[in-house]
Amino acid sequence: MPLHWFLFGLACAAALPAAFTLDPCLDTDTWWHMATGRWIVEQQQIPWVDPLAWHQQPTRWYAYSWLYGVVLYELFDKASYSGIIIARTIIVAVSTLSVMLYLVRSSGPTLQTIIVALLTGTVLMMFAKERPWHFTIAFTTLTLWAVQSIRETGRIRRKLWLLPLFALWANLHIQFVLGWLILGLACCFPGLANRKAVIALTLACVAATAINPYHVRLAEVIVEYATQLAPREYVIELASPAINSPSTWATIFLIAFGFWTIARQDKTDLFQGILLLISLLLAINQRRDIWVAALAAIATLRHGNLEVRNHAPLIIATVIGTFAATCALSFFGVGPSTDYPAASAKLCPIDAVRNSKANLETPVFSTFNWGGSLIWELDRPAVMMDGRTNLYGDERLRRHFQTWQASDGWQDNPAFKLARTVVAPPDQPLTAKLRSLPEVWQPVYEGEVAVIFVRLSE
């Protein structure tokens, strides 16, 4: 395939996630990440007890993405909403670029590569928000790239850069365990590499992840996320993939293509096969992990004839240029509105809280998705629930969602019984219940986005 047509195909693939970075609304988790960063900057320390939400007693919490939160806060402090949107574009571009470079390294400048790139770009569309998982996407790709090079050449010393990568990873996002998985599989199937040397490298990378404020205690967070069941029932990104999603179908095609590629091999590479099988299980379990399956499918392609280092500048310029062009179009008015504060105010009760701060009593009962924005706006431990699922546990999460649905026994929720203020979407079943109890709950603010109730009596 002519190189110029190949680069055009890559640009089309990169344009898919790039277009989704133009969403003017900040991600709902961004607020509590920024609040974490604000607290760390102001207090000049790392929290061990949750300082953001309201609790009856001190509650252990490790800010495992503390570095990401600090960077977000500093960007927002210096450049407001625009700073976050720019950061989003950069990290989405970096994660997309890492995957595309790995794909080209694996498959070369072929029509097959373009088809896989377009499918991969479709998968990455659903991840084009300012979330720390982009560091995991990029670092997992780099780890897989390094491991396959080690297995093919037997050279390990040149891959010692994995150690600082894992150390940085552990301060940005908790899913560095995916890197452990890839290295662990390499220990079982080292290819041309010396098994003992691969094991030593793996242990060193695992040790490097302890270079964070919480050291080995981050293992507690990993166990919490691995064993929680309630979030998978109620949190969309933690549920199984939606069958009507283009990203889901793109993942299905990539997984099928990966297994077909393995089946055609003269000698099956168990590293590739087991990695693809594990990634399939991860994708079925949670939709936010479908990108892992796409990456594992790419790992089965070993027919590349293009030396990436010789064409890396062109590939980098193509992908980054696509994201830059998308930003430029937005700047000139092509695409969604760039009135970022107004867009976020339509998604979260920012205006409602600002107009009613004098009437808000602590603690505040609000929805799961709104908790982060309330934490940011109120700047004190007032909110009873937000997006940090591991902080609250299965039982409290279930009771929270059941209360908003006004299920039987909703008034018996211990957290709700303690609430002095409720910040509610107008269309929720619980909102209708509170309207029917004016002797207990008085509305002090009503708008299109939110209704605020204050408790009058016990």
Side-chain angles (χ1 to χ4, degrees):
M1 171 180 282
L3 186 59
H4 63 279
W5 284 113
F6 177 72
L7 294 175
F8 175 76
L10 280 183
C12 291
L16 295 171
F20 279 76
T21 63
L22 300 180
D23 184 353
C25 296
L26 300 191
D27 186 84
T28 53
D29 276 5
T30 294
W31 301 103
W32 68 257
H33 278 298
M34 291 197 303
T36 302
R38 177 175 60 190
W39 190 92
I40 292 172
V41 170
E42 292 176 350
Q43 302 297 322
Q44 292 295 296
Q45 60 178 307
I46 302 295
W48 290 79
V49 174
D50 180 37
L52 305 182
W54 185 91
H55 302 279
Q56 285 185 281
Q57 56 188 7
T59 302
R60 189 268 295 165
W61 180 62
Y62 302 150
Y64 51 84
S65 294
W66 72 271
L67 183 56
Y68 175 73
V70 168
V71 172
L72 274 191
Y73 168 67
E74 294 290 0
L75 287 170
F76 192 85
D77 187 52
K78 301 296 187 299
S80 189
Y81 289 83
S82 297
I84 305 301
I85 300 299
I86 292 171
R88 173 201 294 172
T89 303
I90 292 173
I91 60 177
V92 176
V94 168
S95 64
T96 302
L97 175 62
S98 65
V99 175
M100 294 303 171
L101 280 171
Y102 179 62
L103 170 59
V104 174
R105 187 259 187 184
S106 299
S107 190
T110 64
L111 178 60
Q112 169 186 272
T113 301
I114 295 304
I115 294 173
V116 173
L118 290 169
L119 290 171
T120 303
T122 304
V123 173
L124 295 177
M125 287 191 310
M126 67 171 287
F127 298 96
K129 297 290 285 184
E130 67 282 3
R131 295 289 289 270
W133 57 40
H134 290 289
F135 297 103
T136 286
I137 293 173
F139 292 173
T140 302
T141 303
L142 290 173
T143 302
L144 186 54
W145 192 332
V147 163
Q148 290 200 323
S149 177
I150 289 170
R151 296 181 70 242
E152 291 169 1
T153 65
R155 299 173 185 170
I156 289 182
R157 289 186 180 181
R158 294 183 180 181
K159 301 301 182 289
L160 292 180
W161 53 263
L162 285 171
L163 300 181
L165 182 140
F166 271 83
L168 177 61
W169 199 347
N171 290 277
L172 290 168
H173 197 220
I174 198 65
Q175 281 191 293
F176 57 81
V177 291
L178 292 174
W180 290 2
L181 168 65
I182 292 169
L183 288 167
L185 281 177
C187 292
C188 298
F189 309 103
L192 298 179
N194 179 278
R195 189 188 304 273
K196 291 182 179 179
V198 176
I199 292 174
L201 176 64
T202 299
L203 293 176
C205 288
V206 171
T209 58
I211 305 175
N212 70 81
Y214 305 103
H215 311 302
V216 297
R217 291 182 179 87
L218 281 189
E220 298 175 34
V221 180
I222 295 171
V223 172
E224 288 170 354
Y225 277 121
T227 56
Q228 273 195 302
L229 298 178
R232 300 171 195 174
E233 300 175 31
Y234 300 104
V235 182
I236 292 177
E237 70 183 49
L238 301 179
S240 298
I243 197 62
N244 61 345
S245 166
S247 294
T248 299
W249 280 103
T251 304
I252 292 172
F253 285 127
L254 286 169
I255 291 173
F257 181 70
F259 279 117
W260 178 74
T261 301
I262 291 175
R264 292 174 61 234
Q265 294 174 350
D266 294 332
K267 183 179 180 181
T268 300
D269 187 336
L270 290 178
F271 175 89
Q272 295 178 355
I274 294 176
L275 178 62
L276 187 59
L277 181 60
I278 293 174
S279 70
L280 170 60
L281 297 176
L282 290 173
I284 291 173
N285 188 48
Q286 295 182 4
R287 68 183 64 183
R288 75 170 184 182
D289 288 334
I290 63 174
W291 65 267
V292 185
L295 189 61
I298 293 173
T300 65
L301 305 176
R302 308 303 304 147
H303 308 293
N305 56 6
L306 177 69
E307 185 62 40
V308 170
R309 71 184 66 179
N310 295 335
H311 295 83
L314 284 175
I315 297 170
I316 293 172
T318 298
V319 175
I320 299 300
T322 300
F323 278 84
T326 303
C327 285
L329 289 174
S330 176
F331 178 79
F332 288 110
V334 179
S337 169
T338 55
D339 188 351
Y340 307 125
S344 291
K346 291 180 180 179
L347 183 66
C348 297
I350 296 172
D351 290 341
V353 171
R354 288 176 181 172
N355 292 329
S356 308
K357 277 187 178 181
N359 296 317
L360 297 186
E361 298 182 42
T362 301
V364 177
F365 190 84
S366 189
T367 65
F368 178 84
N369 286 331
W370 283 0
S373 61
L374 294 177
I375 285 173
W376 174 259
E377 287 295 326
L378 296 174
D379 193 17
R380 68 179 191 270
V383 182
M384 306 179 79
M385 176 67 66
D386 61 273
R388 298 169 293 164
T389 56
N390 70 307
L391 177 63
Y392 300 102
D394 280 347
E395 179 59 27
R396 188 168 172 183
L397 283 167
R398 285 196 179 94
R399 293 297 296 267
H400 175 85
F401 285 99
Q402 290 168 359
T403 299
W404 278 105
Q405 292 302 311
S407 302
D408 291 342
W410 63 273
Q411 290 179 301
D412 297 326
N413 180 350
F416 179 77
K417 291 170 73 173
L418 292 170
R420 303 300 304 175
T421 301
V422 175
V423 181
D427 58 350
Q428 287 291 305
L430 178 62
T431 308
K433 289 286 187 181
L434 298 185
R435 289 187 188 280
S436 69
L437 298 171
E439 70 281 2
V440 180
W441 292 100
Q442 177 185 8
V444 295
Y445 175 91
E446 295 205 35
E448 293 183 6
V449 176
V451 182
I452 297 180
F453 297 91
V454 173
R455 189 188 292 270
L456 295 178
S457 61
E458 296 298 331

